[in-house]
Structures are given as structure tokens and as C-alpha cells.
Amino acid sequence: MASSSVFAGLAQAPEDPILGVTVAYNKDPSPVKVNLGVGAYRTEEGKPLVLDVVRRAEQMLINNPSRVKEYLPITGLAEFNKLSAKLIFGTDSPAIQESRVATVQCLSGTGSLRVGGEFLARHYHERTIYIPQPTWGNHPKVFTLAGLTVRSYRYYDPATRGLDFQGLLEDLSSAPSGAIVLLHACAHNPTGVDPTLDQWEQIRQLMRSKSLLPFFDSAYQGFASGSLDKDAQSVRMFVADGGELLMAQSYAKNMGLYGERVGALSIVCGSADVAVRVESQLKLVIRPMYSNPPIHGASIVATILKDSDMFNEWTVELKGMADRIISMRQQLFDALKTRGTPGDWSHIIKQIGMFTFTGLNSDQVAFMRQEYHIYMTSDGRISMAGLSTRTIPHLSDAIHAAVTKLK
């Protein structure tokens, strides 16, 4: 007889809406199936990619007999933290030169957001964070569990499939003074829509005038445009004015270190002595959460960032990934144009980064899954990195059929 369980009354939890797409895809026996849900880079052949420079760095680490597996400090690998701050803020950043940055190694982007969120819930006077509408599905969950109240500000305009800049400014203007505002540094997920530099400057001025605290999430530095510096411009504008901010960094996409869970949280402070105290309090958030971070992925990143040859090799490989995605955008746009698919599809080439917000509705998405075995999230977000020259005709046929048959 089966023994009863104290957990027998538990309901079956729903699949994560993003990861659930892959679960459904894996169950589909169709030979023509395409998975456009996954937020991970794929080669033209549809295979995961480990960068050559990453393999080289790993080999160097393995061949070094003096390397040990001791615990890292609570704050992580010091060299990694220093190099990460320089990568996002710039080597000549005044904040770094004045020792106003507290950086801790965290568990990729998600961990960095969670640690930052818990730090703010404990030590910041305003416990409300404004996140863009829409945003990455994990953002509201992470910040709510960290102890913050989540509100949203307008961001995407479905009519233009671009930025609702007016709505964004209005919502941030009416936010309470001192509120926290989450900003995607570049390649907004899920829409691929970014403000222009002029718009960023207006956002910066408005936020500083109302003492709104910026919390940047940078998951795609170098991966969006192919240039590390260009993709960090928004962040650096906010650092240049001398104000404070939080910065969550991930190396999942730009170094392809997804499963290594490598990230950093940096807090730019008003002075060097405040930065020291901030770091001391970050340790108290991290210690009871996971004690200290893993050593391997951070060592890979530090190995690459500190060596000029390896760094240059990385930038070439990084640009290669960014360029392939940009070329997929162009090919998809051209294919839809050739088919005379109803509607304006120029947003596909205007948007940037891993994802495109197609504008397809949930019925059209369901139709494409059923009839064409194409998998994406129900909001119509597709991962451009999951496409290839081989699969674009199939996707274009599916989109054409969906928008023609279903309004």
C-alpha cells in the first residue's frame, strides 16, 4: 500500500511560461519543429555554442596545477568583480577611479537582481520598484520575493511595435520621489525595443530630478549591437552625472556561460566610504542565501577579461553572434515582404538583441504551434537566435498563414 504524504494535498504547479515552451517542444515528434522560446544562442545548425576563447580559458585553468577548489569569499572572486565593473562602467569611469563602486559576484543576472532587491528592501527608504510593461517574466517574481512592491511603467506601444516614450515619461513623472526604477541597459527583453540616446538622456534627467533610483539589468552587453561600449552607453550616462545606481550583470549570453551562472551586482555609491559600508551589508544578504558563489565560471571570465589577446578574441566571437542575429532579422523581414504578408514588419529590423516581439496574438501563436510545430511564448516573443537560414522559410509561411487566417 502506498504511504500517504504530508505533501499529498499539493497542487501541481504550472510550467514556467518560458521554460514550458521547451518542455512542449521536446515532446513534439515532428521533424520540422522549431523552438523559438529559448533565450539562448544557437548556431546556424541549431546547436548550442561554446566560444573558442572560453574553451581556451578553461583549458588554461585545468592545466594550472596551483588552482584549488577552496571557497571564494562571500563577495566572490575579487579579480572578477573588478574586471566586471570596468567592463560595464568603462576603464576610465570616475566612479571606479574614486572607489565608489561596491561589486559582488552573484549567481548570474537573476541572482544579482535578487541580492540587489533584498539589499534595497532592507536598507532603502522607498520599497517600490517600477518595472517596464512588459518585462522579463522573472522580474516581478524576483523583486516581490525580495520584499519590494512591484509597479509598472508604460514601455511598449503595440500600435507602433515601438517605444511608448510619452507613456514612459508620464508614468515615471507620477512615480513617488525616490522610487526604484528597473531599466534594461540594452536589448529590452521581451520587446527588443530600446530608447534612443536622446531619449535615454531625457529619462536620466527626469529620474535624477525626482531622485528615482536606477536599477539597471544588463544581460546583453556586446550581444545586442556587437559593441561592448555601445551597449553600455545608457548605463554610463547615469554614472557620468555622479549619481547613485544599481547594476545587475550577466555573462550568460555574451560569453555563452548560461549554465555556469556567472554574474555581478555593482552598486555605484555617492562616496568611497559609503561603498565600503554597502559591501559589508551585501555580505549579510548573501551569507544566509548561498554563502558564497561558485569559482569556475568567474575564473573563466577573469581569465578572458585580464588578457588583451583573449579579450580581443572574445570581442570578435561576440560580434559574430550579434551579427548572425542581425542577419536573421533581415532575412525574416525579407521573407515576409516577399510573401506579401499583410502588415508592416519593419519592427523586426528596428528591434535589437536576442528577441523580437512579433505582434502576433496568442491565437496566432497557438495556430502556428498546432499547424506548423513552431514554439514560442504566447505573447508572440521569438528568439532570433533560434532561427537559421534553413528555418526562416518555414517560419515565414507560418506567420503568413497565421495573420491571413486569424485576425
Side-chain angles (χ1 to χ4, degrees), residues 25 30-35 42-47 324 328 331 339 374 386-397:
Y25 168 84
S30 170
V32 296
K33 65 181 180 177
V34 182
N35 185 4
R42 294 289 179 263
T43 63
E44 176 65 30
E45 295 69 45
K47 297 279 187 286
R324 191 182 96 71
M328 288 301 104
Q331 286 182 41
R339 281 163 180 73
I374 289 170
L387 276 176
S388 68
T389 305
R390 185 180 53 81
T391 55
I392 279 177
H394 181 57
L395 173 63
S396 308
D397 290 342

Side-chain angles (χ1 to χ4, degrees), residues 166-185:
Q166 219 37 57
L168 179 153
L169 293 178
E170 283 170 21
D171 289 350
L172 293 187
S173 293
S174 56
S177 172
I180 309 153
V181 179
L182 181 86
L183 301 162
H184 295 230

Side-chain angles (χ1 to χ4, degrees), residues 2-20:
S3 63
S4 69
S5 166
V6 292
F7 303 116
L10 273 189
Q12 177 68 32
E15 290 279 7
D16 179 277
I18 298 172
L19 303 179

Side-chain angles (χ1 to χ4, degrees), residues 231-269:
D231 290 347
Q233 279 177 307
S234 60
V235 180
R236 292 175 189 177
M237 287 163 83
F238 281 77
V239 177
D241 68 17
E244 297 183 304
L245 60 88
L246 287 84
M247 174 77 235
Q249 261 172 296
S250 164
Y251 289 96
K253 314 290 193 293
N254 60 12
M255 275 199 195
L257 295 174
Y258 304 95
E260 298 292 355
R261 312 309 294 139
V262 200
L265 171 72
S266 289
I267 303 186
V268 176
C269 305

Side-chain angles (χ1 to χ4, degrees), residues 1 98 103 118 137 150 189 266 324-325 340 362-363 392 403-404:
M1 181 181 144
E98 294 156 18
T103 304
E118 293 214 8
V150 175
N189 174 7
S266 289
R324 191 182 96 71
I325 289 174
S362 54
D363 291 342
I392 279 177
V403 297
T404 309

Side-chain angles (χ1 to χ4, degrees), residues 154-168:
R154 280 171 283 175
Y155 188 86
Y156 177 74
D157 180 358
T160 62
R161 293 175 190 171
L163 186 66
D164 180 2
F165 189 53
Q166 219 37 57
L168 179 153

Side-chain angles (χ1 to χ4, degrees), residues 202-375:
Q202 287 181 65
I203 294 167
R204 186 195 67 76
Q205 287 177 14
L206 170 63
M207 284 182 64
R208 292 310 193 194
S209 73
K210 287 186 57 80
S211 302
L212 300 173
L213 182 64
F215 194 154
F216 277 98
D217 185 358
S218 172
Y220 301 99
Q221 188 187 356
F223 194 93
S225 68
S227 160
L228 288 159
D229 290 328
K230 189 175 179 187
D231 290 347
Q233 279 177 307
S234 60
V235 180
R236 292 175 189 177
M237 287 163 83
F238 281 77
V239 177
D241 68 17
E244 297 183 304
L245 60 88
L246 287 84
M247 174 77 235
Q249 261 172 296
S250 164
Y251 289 96
K253 314 290 193 293
N254 60 12
M255 275 199 195
L257 295 174
Y258 304 95
E260 298 292 355
R261 312 309 294 139
V262 200
L265 171 72
S266 289
I267 303 186
V268 176
C269 305
S271 66
D273 63 316
V274 170
V276 172
R277 296 202 295 277
V278 163
E279 185 186 298
S280 74
Q281 291 293 342
L282 285 170
K283 287 183 191 176
L284 298 190
V285 174
I286 292 166
R287 176 66 172 146
M289 198 189 282
Y290 54 84
S291 273
N292 46 61
I295 196 166
H296 186 67
S299 301
I300 294 170
V301 174
T303 302
I304 293 168
L305 295 185
K306 72 182 178 192
D307 180 286
S308 58
D309 286 345
M310 293 181 90
F311 182 87
N312 291 337
E313 186 183 336
W314 172 49
T315 58
V316 171
E317 290 195 79
L318 179 54
K319 189 168 186 328
M321 290 192 285
D323 286 350
R324 191 182 96 71
I325 289 174
I326 291 165
S327 124
M328 288 301 104
R329 289 183 178 281
Q330 190 63 53
Q331 286 182 41
L332 178 59
F333 172 72
D334 292 345
L336 291 169
K337 208 171 162 190
T338 303
R339 281 163 180 73
T341 306
D344 174 9
W345 297 94
S346 61
H347 59 283
I348 293 173
I349 44 180
K350 286 178 192 157
Q351 293 171 8
I352 192 167
M354 186 172 274
F355 301 109
T356 286
F357 224 43
T358 56
L360 296 165
N361 62 41
S362 54
D363 291 342
Q364 292 167 332
V365 169
F367 167 85
M368 287 167 62
R369 180 184 289 202
Q370 187 122 27
E371 301 296 321
Y372 288 84
H373 306 275
I374 289 170
Y375 290 79

